Amino acid sequence: MTSEIEKRIIALEETAAHQAKVIEELSDQLAEQWKVVEQTRAKLDRLTERFLSLEEQSLDAPAITRPPHY
């Protein structure tokens, strides 16, 4: 019976070790994805600022009128 308990304990330890490894891998992947999200967010902020700047410049442009030869 002791042998059976030892086998169960070993199996539990193996499972716990495997789960710890998987959790660590998932944590690393999550950290990497978070970096990508932050880079994407920063790029979106820059593009939004640029778009608003261009939009503001286009409002200051003279109105399009017909050329005098029409």
Side-chain angles (χ1 to χ4, degrees), residues 43-58:
K43 187 180 283 187
L44 177 61
D45 289 344
R46 288 191 308 270
L47 287 172
T48 300
E49 187 176 312
R50 186 173 175 193
F51 174 77
L52 291 174
S53 174
L54 289 172
E55 187 178 51
E56 190 175 292
Q57 290 174 2
S58 72

Side-chain angles (χ1 to χ4, degrees), residues 6-68:
E6 286 178 7
K7 287 179 184 178
R8 291 180 66 194
I9 291 174
I10 290 170
L12 288 172
E13 288 175 341
E14 289 173 350
T15 301
H18 176 71
Q19 288 177 347
K21 182 181 176 194
V22 169
I23 289 171
E24 185 177 332
E25 289 172 354
L26 289 173
S27 179
D28 291 344
Q29 288 179 355
L30 182 61
E32 189 174 322
Q33 288 298 312
W34 187 253
K35 288 178 187 177
V36 171
V37 167
E38 288 298 319
Q39 291 171 349
T40 304
R41 183 177 293 161
K43 187 180 283 187
L44 177 61
D45 289 344
R46 288 191 308 270
L47 287 172
T48 300
E49 187 176 312
R50 186 173 175 193
F51 174 77
L52 291 174
S53 174
L54 289 172
E55 187 178 51
E56 190 175 292
Q57 290 174 2
S58 72
L59 293 177
D60 296 338
I64 299 174
T65 57
R66 294 175 111 185

